[in-house]
């Protein structure tokens, strides 16, 4: 009982000391746990889920994301525990010399880590509650909803956080206990003299691996670029090629991270001019002691930085594509298509809309089937054997409704309207210079993507516009109705149409099974709401992942640097005794930390730029301009360096404090 009381007091004392020494780490895991709780609270809120049908999938996506975050936080805590273990190894060895058993030392460390984790857990609950209100506010603002949704605490979300907490600490503490089991008194006393083993003792082997890693990285990025284009992005084997590219890139990142620092240091140390300039020799030697033994860690940190930059860029690109996606989904307030019922039945839609909205104009148009399907052949669509055709007068009515310039065609001309993503299939296609419609030869006047939307014609990813007289002998394949309203439509209108006009939208087969054809009705308000929800969901999750990853990298580098500041304090004291003033000393520390924080960033930034540039080949059709992705990339870098910079500044302040203590 006395022994347990002594261990308990010792654990509490050590926990207090750890909180002081590892404040950056404690803040990071507290924020990580609070963000987990915040997003769980948001997705478990009925009010939020009911905002949009897309929000229901938010929970499933978040579950997968949280699994990734658990492993990242686990890596962070495990690495920090290792640093703490190394720092206190002599103390623990002394306990063994005093007769305390290894099992009791293990219990002591477990209690300390659990107490430290509990501090983070307790603070994460109120902080997570505040974060959840902030996330809810962002979602509501993005969706354009006037009222504010209050997120309440619930035991299910807290229970999930407890599960994440237990999963993380069981994995970490199991690894810690496994490590302690192998330790002896000698290991404890001299453990702080050890570090990650130097991976390369041969310069020749190191150089070969470096060159091979660069080549693998270049091949991986070229392979990624070759599949990121509209021509091949839809092919089934593209996913396989992209996966191979990612695996090769991971190998390259670890290979370059494991060798580049050692190579650069070797080059610097061989040059007397560089080596003996100012404090370069001290900085190089100090960094060498870490870089040459932190190869694997640098590789892991580079991968986390690369993932964080990709998440930030994907969030920006997705927001940039918002307007285009909305216009391609539902440019008109209401549009309906049918192939079973006459236009008289479509008038029922007008009556339902007229009950709640002021109707400005309605347009009815037909899509005709051209059996030659000359254009369809180039879209590689296996389900349709005709070309969808629209007469010029109907097309011009639709253009006027969107305040677009109308089209003029000569008697021997035709026009193609298609999506931006599939424009490459008909652009500069010599085979489409001339086609036959109703046995008449027509030549192509041009193409347009701005007036296209997904349901302009459902029998193809394009529509052929021809002078009115060429459709008189063609069969009608689809009937469409477009309604323009004075007021902005909402998702409630689509729900009302579904309920009131179920007899037009639901058919029953011979076996009595219902076939729901709700896709035949498109309401702009619904499209905007769903796109807003998707944008909010992706942006918040991407920012969530990016923040955790950047924080993990910053924390690991911070605690490693602060631990070294205490461990090698004598180096800086020696410099002071040699006459180096504080201004020069702090400049040396800044340079040292800039190099340490900068090494994992360089390759990640280059690789992310190449990958985002390749991905732009697919997304540029949805963005305002071809090169706007570069603006998004710069914005992502600013966000990254803002968060990363906070950790660098905190590390620099802590570093100065550590070397000044008891000087």
């Amino acid at each position: 009982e006395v022994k347990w009381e002594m261990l308990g007091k010792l654990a509490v004392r050590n926990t207090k000391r750890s909180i002081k020494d590892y404040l950056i780490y404690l803040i990071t895991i507290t924020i990580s746990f609070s963000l987990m709780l915040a997003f769980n609270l948001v997705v478990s809120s009925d009010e939020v889920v009911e905002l949009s049908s897309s929000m229901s999938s938010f929970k499933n996506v978040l579950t997968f994301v949280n699994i990734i975050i658990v492993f990242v936080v686990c890596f962070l805590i495990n690495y920090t525990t290792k640093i703490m273990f190394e720092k206190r190894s002599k103390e623990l060895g002394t306990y063994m010399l005093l007769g305390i058993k290894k099992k009791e030392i293990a219990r002591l460390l477990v209690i300390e880590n659990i107490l430290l984790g509990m501090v983070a857990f307790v603070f994460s609950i109120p902080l997570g509650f505040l974060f959840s209100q902030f996330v809810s506010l962002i979602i509501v603002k993005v969706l354009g909803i006037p009222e504010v949704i209050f997120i309440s605490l619930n035991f299910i979300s807290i229970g999930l956080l407890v599960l994440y907490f237990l999963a993380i600490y069981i994995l970490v503490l199991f690894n810690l206990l496994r490590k302690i089991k192998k330790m002896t008194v000698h290991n404890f006393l001299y453990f702080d003299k050890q570090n990650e083993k130097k991976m390369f003792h041969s310069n020749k082997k190191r150089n070969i691996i470096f060159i091979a890693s660069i080549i693998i990285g270049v091949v991986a990025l070229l392979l990624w670029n070759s599949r990121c284009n509209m021509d091949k992005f839809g092919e089934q084997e593209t996913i396989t090629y992209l996966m191979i590219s990612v695996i090769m890139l991971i190998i390259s990142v670890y290979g370059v991270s494991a060798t580049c620092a050692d190579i650069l240091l070797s080059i610097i140390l061989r040059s007397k001019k560089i080596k003996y300039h100012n404090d370069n020799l001290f900085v190089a030697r100090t960094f060498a002691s870490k870089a040459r033994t932190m190869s694997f860690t640098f590789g892991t940190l580079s991968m986390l930085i690369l993932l964080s930059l990709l998440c930030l860029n994907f969030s920006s690109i997705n927001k940039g594509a918002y307007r285009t996606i909305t216009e391609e989904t539902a440019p008109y307030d209401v549009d309906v298509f049918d192939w079973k019922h006459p236009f008289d039945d479509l008038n029922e839609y007008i009556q339902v809309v007229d009950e709640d909205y002021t109707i400005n104009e309605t347009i009815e148009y037909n899509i005709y089937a051209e059996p030659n399907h000359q254009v369809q052949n180039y879209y590689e669509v296996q389900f349709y054997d005709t070309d969808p055709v629209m007469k010029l007068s109907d097309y011009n009515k639709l253009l006027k409704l969107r305040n677009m310039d109308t089209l003029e065609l000569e008697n021997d001309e035709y026009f193609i309207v298609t999506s931006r993503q599939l424009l490459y299939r008909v652009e500069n296609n010599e085979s489409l210079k001339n086609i036959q419609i109703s046995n008449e030869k027509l030549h192509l006047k041009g193409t347009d993507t701005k007036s296209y939307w997904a349901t302009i014609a459902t029998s193809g990813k394009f529509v052929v516009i021809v002078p009115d007289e060429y459709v008189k002998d063609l069969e009608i394949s689809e009937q469409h109705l477009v309604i323009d309203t004075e007021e902005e439509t909402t998702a409630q209108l689509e729900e009302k149409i579904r309920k009131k006009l179920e007899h037009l939208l639901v058919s029953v087969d011979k076996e009595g099974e219902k076939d729901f054809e709700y896709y035949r009705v498109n309401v702009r308000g619904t499209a905007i709401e769903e796109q807003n929800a998707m944008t909010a969901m992706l942006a918040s999750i991407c920012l969530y992942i990016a923040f955790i990853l950047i924080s993990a990298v910053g924390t690991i580098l911070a605690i490693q640097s602060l631990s070294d500041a205490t461990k090698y304090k004598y180096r800086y004291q020696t410099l002071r005794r040699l006459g180096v003033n504080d201004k020069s000393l702090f400049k040396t520390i800044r340079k040292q930390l800039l190099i340490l924080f900068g090494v994992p960033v360089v390759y990640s930034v280059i690789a992310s730029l190449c990958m985002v540039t390749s991905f732009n080949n697919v997304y540029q059709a949805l963005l305002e301009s071809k090169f706007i992705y570069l603006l998004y990339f710069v914005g992502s870098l600013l966000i990254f360096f803002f968060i990363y910079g906070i950790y660098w500044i905190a590390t620099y302040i802590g570093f100065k404090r550590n070397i000044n203590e008891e000087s």
Side-chain angles (χ1 to χ4, degrees):
E1 187 178 335
V2 174
K3 188 189 298 181
W4 275 103
E5 184 180 348
M6 181 189 73
L7 285 174
K9 288 181 179 179
L10 199 58
V12 171
R13 188 206 68 165
N14 290 336
T15 301
K16 289 179 180 177
R17 187 172 64 186
S18 295
I19 290 174
K20 179 186 175 184
D21 293 343
Y22 298 97
L23 186 61
I24 295 175
Y25 157 74
L26 187 62
I27 291 172
T28 299
I29 60 170
T30 301
I31 293 175
S32 299
F33 284 137
S34 63
L35 285 173
M36 288 182 189
L37 177 62
F39 279 93
N40 284 329
L41 287 172
V42 169
V43 297
S44 64
S45 169
D46 293 335
E47 292 86 352
V48 173
V49 173
E50 289 172 2
L51 290 177
S52 170
S53 57
S54 301
M55 296 304 291
S56 58
S57 60
F58 196 3
K59 193 171 186 177
N60 297 328
V61 175
L62 189 66
T63 302
F64 174 73
V65 169
N66 277 337
I67 292 172
I68 297 174
I69 297 301
V70 163
F71 280 103
V72 173
V73 175
C74 192
F75 170 72
L76 168 61
I77 295 175
N78 186 64
Y79 194 88
T80 306
T81 304
K82 176 190 168 186
I83 299 296
M84 293 167 68
F85 186 75
E86 177 188 323
K87 186 177 179 181
R88 297 180 54 208
S89 57
K90 283 187 178 179
E91 176 193 336
L92 300 175
T94 304
Y95 290 161
M96 285 191 71
L97 289 173
L98 292 173
I100 299 177
K101 294 180 181 179
K102 194 190 297 184
K103 187 184 293 184
E104 290 165 353
I105 292 175
R107 286 174 183 167
L108 174 67
L109 290 175
V110 167
I111 293 170
E112 287 177 18
N113 276 277
I114 290 176
L115 286 174
L116 199 60
M118 286 299 296
V119 171
F121 181 84
V122 169
F123 279 104
S124 70
I125 293 176
L127 192 60
F129 175 69
L130 291 175
F131 282 163
S132 69
Q133 310 306 321
F134 182 67
V135 174
S136 169
L137 188 65
I138 292 174
I139 291 173
V140 165
K141 187 175 180 181
V142 171
L143 291 177
I145 299 170
E147 65 268 18
V148 176
I149 293 178
F150 178 78
I151 306 295
S152 56
L153 276 172
N154 61 75
F155 290 109
I156 295 176
S157 297
I158 295 176
L160 277 173
L161 184 64
V162 171
L163 288 177
Y164 295 147
F165 177 84
L166 291 175
I168 290 169
Y169 274 91
I170 286 173
L171 289 172
V172 170
L173 295 177
F174 177 79
N175 186 51
L176 179 63
L177 291 173
R178 184 178 60 82
K179 188 180 293 182
I180 293 173
K181 191 176 181 181
K182 296 178 181 179
M183 298 289 286
T184 63
V185 174
H186 180 272
N187 295 144
F188 274 118
L189 292 176
Y190 293 96
F191 189 76
D192 62 338
K193 303 297 182 184
Q194 303 174 26
N195 211 317
E196 295 181 36
K197 293 181 180 179
K198 183 178 178 181
M199 294 185 69
F200 307 105
H201 298 282
S202 167
N203 288 345
K204 184 178 179 181
K205 181 181 177 182
R206 178 202 64 194
N207 295 341
I208 291 172
I209 292 176
F210 176 74
I211 294 170
S213 299
I214 292 292
I215 293 171
I216 291 171
V218 171
V219 172
L221 293 172
L222 289 174
L223 179 60
W224 177 276
N225 184 69
S226 69
R227 307 308 299 188
C228 285
N229 57 69
M230 292 308 304
D231 192 24
K232 296 181 180 178
F233 201 71
E235 296 178 2
Q236 292 182 349
E237 61 268 24
T238 292
I239 295 177
T240 304
Y241 282 113
L242 291 179
M243 287 298 295
I244 293 171
S245 172
V246 169
I247 292 170
M248 291 175 66
L249 189 61
I250 291 172
I251 294 171
S252 174
V253 167
Y254 275 98
V256 171
S257 299
T259 55
C260 71
D262 200 20
I263 289 174
L264 290 172
L265 287 167
S266 297
I267 294 171
I268 291 171
L269 295 176
R270 282 176 191 165
S271 172
K272 291 183 179 180
K273 187 176 180 181
I274 299 174
K275 181 168 63 173
Y276 295 118
H277 181 70
N278 292 336
D279 57 357
N280 286 353
L281 180 59
F282 178 81
V283 172
R285 285 296 184 187
T286 304
F287 181 63
S289 66
K290 300 309 299 176
R292 286 175 170 166
T293 56
M294 284 184 65
S295 307
F296 183 81
T297 301
F298 274 147
T300 304
L301 298 183
S302 293
M303 281 305 307
L304 294 180
I305 292 171
L306 177 59
L307 285 173
S308 68
L309 288 173
L310 291 176
C311 284
L312 289 172
N313 278 280
F314 184 74
S315 173
S316 299
I317 288 174
N318 180 69
K319 286 186 284 185
Y322 162 78
R323 180 179 175 83
T324 304
I325 293 174
T326 303
E327 289 302 312
E328 283 200 0
T329 305
Y332 300 103
D333 293 314
V334 181
D335 74 87
V336 184
F337 65 88
D338 206 336
W339 53 83
K340 301 176 182 178
H341 306 92
F343 268 126
D344 290 342
D345 290 332
L346 292 182
N347 288 332
E348 293 186 46
Y349 293 99
I350 298 174
Q351 293 170 10
V352 173
V353 174
D354 193 45
E355 291 177 8
D356 301 309
Y357 294 86
T358 305
I359 297 177
N360 291 328
E361 188 178 351
T362 61
I363 298 173
E364 298 173 355
Y365 71 91
N366 293 321
I367 293 295
Y368 301 86
E370 165 52 52
N372 290 326
H373 61 89
Q374 298 147 92
V375 182
Q376 196 79 261
N377 289 338
Y378 297 99
Y379 279 83
E380 299 176 5
V381 179
Q382 56 183 331
F383 305 108
Y384 309 114
D385 56 4
T386 62
D387 284 342
V389 177
M390 183 193 298
K391 60 184 182 180
L392 179 62
S393 59
D394 287 341
Y395 178 61
N396 280 333
K397 288 178 185 177
L398 295 171
L399 291 177
K400 286 180 181 178
L401 202 56
R402 295 174 70 176
N403 295 317
M404 293 180 172
D405 295 332
T406 55
L407 173 68
E408 292 183 3
L409 292 177
E410 300 294 335
N411 286 335
D412 60 345
E413 292 179 331
Y414 83 100
F415 195 75
I416 293 178
V417 177
T418 189
S419 68
R420 298 185 187 188
Q421 299 94 315
L422 296 176
L423 179 61
Y424 72 95
R425 291 194 179 273
V426 295
E427 200 172 29
N428 300 320
N429 190 331
E430 292 296 325
S431 300
L432 294 177
K433 291 288 185 181
N434 298 286
I435 64 171
Q436 284 204 344
I437 300 287
S438 298
N439 297 319
E440 294 290 336
K441 186 177 180 181
L442 303 177
H443 67 267
L444 181 63
K445 180 176 182 178
T447 56
D448 180 60
T449 58
K450 293 181 180 178
S451 58
Y452 176 85
W453 78 95
T455 54
I456 186 174
T458 60
S459 52
K461 298 295 184 181
F462 66 97
V463 63
V464 174
I465 312 297
V466 299
D468 289 14
E469 61 265 25
Y470 290 106
V471 302
K472 59 184 179 182
D473 296 327
L474 298 180
E475 181 182 347
I476 296 174
S477 61
E478 306 169 30
Q479 294 176 314
H480 290 252
L481 170 67
V482 169
I483 303 174
D484 180 57
T485 62
E486 182 73 29
E487 302 84 5
E488 293 292 333
T489 54
T490 64
Q492 284 72 28
L493 174 60
E494 185 170 317
E495 189 63 31
K496 182 178 180 180
I497 291 173
R498 288 183 178 186
K499 288 181 179 179
K500 283 205 165 191
L501 302 179
E502 185 174 328
H503 60 285
L504 296 177
L505 296 169
V506 180
S507 58
V508 182
D509 60 21
K510 294 179 181 179
E511 297 177 357
E513 294 290 331
K514 288 187 175 181
D515 182 19
F516 298 90
E517 298 176 351
Y518 295 143
Y519 57 86
R520 294 197 287 105
V521 177
N522 289 288
V523 176
R524 182 173 173 83
T526 303
I528 290 174
E529 182 183 288
E530 290 178 351
Q531 190 56 39
N532 281 341
M534 190 61 66
T535 301
M537 181 175 71
L538 287 175
S540 58
I541 285 180
C542 286
L543 290 173
Y544 169 40
I545 296 172
F547 178 82
I548 298 293
L549 296 181
I550 299 168
S551 298
V553 174
T555 302
I556 287 170
L557 291 173
I559 60 174
Q560 182 69 68
S561 301
L562 296 177
S563 177
D564 287 347
T566 303
K567 185 177 179 181
Y568 302 114
K569 188 189 300 183
Y570 65 89
R571 294 177 178 175
Y572 305 96
Q573 291 174 346
T574 301
L575 288 176
R576 277 177 169 149
R577 292 190 187 106
L578 291 173
V580 177
N581 58 42
D582 282 352
K583 184 179 179 181
S584 299
L585 184 63
F586 294 154
K587 182 181 178 182
T588 299
I589 293 170
R590 287 197 297 272
K591 186 187 294 185
Q592 185 180 320
L593 292 178
L594 279 172
I595 294 172
L596 183 66
F597 274 70
V599 166
V601 173
V602 178
Y603 191 15
S604 301
V605 171
I606 295 171
S608 64
L609 176 60
C610 293
M611 294 177 79
V612 170
T613 300
S614 300
F615 207 61
N616 184 59
N617 295 335
V618 178
Y619 261 86
Q620 64 180 335
L622 301 174
L623 300 175
E624 293 179 17
S625 69
K626 187 177 181 179
F627 298 105
I628 196 170
Y629 78 97
L630 292 173
L631 186 61
Y632 297 145
F633 183 77
V634 171
S636 299
L637 282 182
L638 290 175
I639 294 172
F640 169 79
F641 282 115
F642 175 75
I643 301 171
Y644 204 54
I646 290 173
Y647 279 90
W648 183 88
I649 292 169
T651 305
Y652 173 62
I653 293 170
F655 201 108
K656 289 200 301 182
R657 184 200 65 195
N658 285 2
I659 65 171
N660 284 328
E661 282 181 352
E662 300 176 7
S663 298

